Amino acid sequence: MKKQIGKTNALYPSLTTILGTTINGRPNFITIAHVGIMNHGDPQYLSFGVSKSHFSNQGIIENKVFSVNIPSRDLVVETDYFGIMTGKSTDKSSVLETFCTEGYEAAPMLKRCPVSMICKLARTIDFETHDVFIGEIVATCADEEVLANNKIDISKVNPLLFDMSSIQYWSLGEPVAGAWNAGKVLKKK
Ligand SMILES: Cc1cc2nc3c(=O)[nH]c(=O)nc-3n(C[C@H](O)[C@H](O)[C@H](O)COP(=O)(O)O)c2cc1C
């Protein structure tokens, strides 16, 4: 039997990301799991729900650019640290080595993350408690080790998934079936 469980947000797990910004000349990193894919065309837009109470918002709004880093499960400690310490009182700039791409120096990326994207701020949606930053992807870099035929191999990235119910990081399981393919068996002949 089904049970009503109130207005629980059941849209988990979500991908755990680390956004990189620069504030007062110093790189700052924030863990963000409330992420979305806004469209899958050209240009490509991503969304990030960031509480207005955080330090990072200032950097994203001022620079109009930020990085989106995808940590692997071996970075769980650093990822969590970026999510429990605020740049208002803690210098998080030297926890992990950073790098930049030309023209986007205000969006520091994390060397240890196998995949990083640069997003230009396209829009900010002003919700009661959160800024939802819509970023347009302008560049993506990936470690060669996580690529297969020049595409990102998610099993090699081994990303951290976040679940709010258990308040735990999870990892990927096995692939289940081909997408846009498994359903074909139900097509009427
Ligand atoms: C796993 C995890 C996921 C998080 N996801 C979000 C999120 O999606 N949105 C948000 O506003 N804060 C999120 N946080 C909280 C911020 O990362 C945290 O408050 C951080 O210290 C703010 O850093 P800053 O003040 O330097 O910007 C998350 C924290 C953790 C540990």
Side-chain angles (χ1 to χ4, degrees), residues 5 15 29 53 55 89 101 103 113 121 130 157 161 168 170:
I5 54 167
L15 184 67
F29 296 96
S53 64
F55 191 52
S89 51
T101 192
C113 287
L121 184 63
H130 283 62
V157 174
L161 306 178
Q168 299 262 26
W170 291 70

Side-chain angles (χ1 to χ4, degrees), residues 19-23 30 48 50 55-66 121 124 133:
L19 306 191
T21 58
T22 299
I23 304 165
I30 178 174
F48 303 88
V50 186
F55 191 52
S56 296
N57 306 47
Q58 188 189 328
I60 296 172
I61 292 166
E62 279 178 12
N63 301 314
K64 297 188 170 43
V65 69
F66 55 97
L121 184 63
T124 302
F133 295 117

Side-chain angles (χ1 to χ4, degrees), residues 25-43:
R26 190 177 82 195
N28 192 61
F29 296 96
I30 178 174
T31 305
I32 292 294
H34 292 155
V35 301
I37 299 168
M38 305 301 287
N39 72 331
H40 182 68
D42 187 18

Side-chain angles (χ1 to χ4, degrees), residues 125-142:
I125 307 176
D126 182 8
F127 280 94
E128 288 83 347
T129 55
H130 283 62
D131 290 320
V132 174
F133 295 117
I134 312 291
E136 177 190 341
I137 305 170
V138 292
T140 304
C141 28

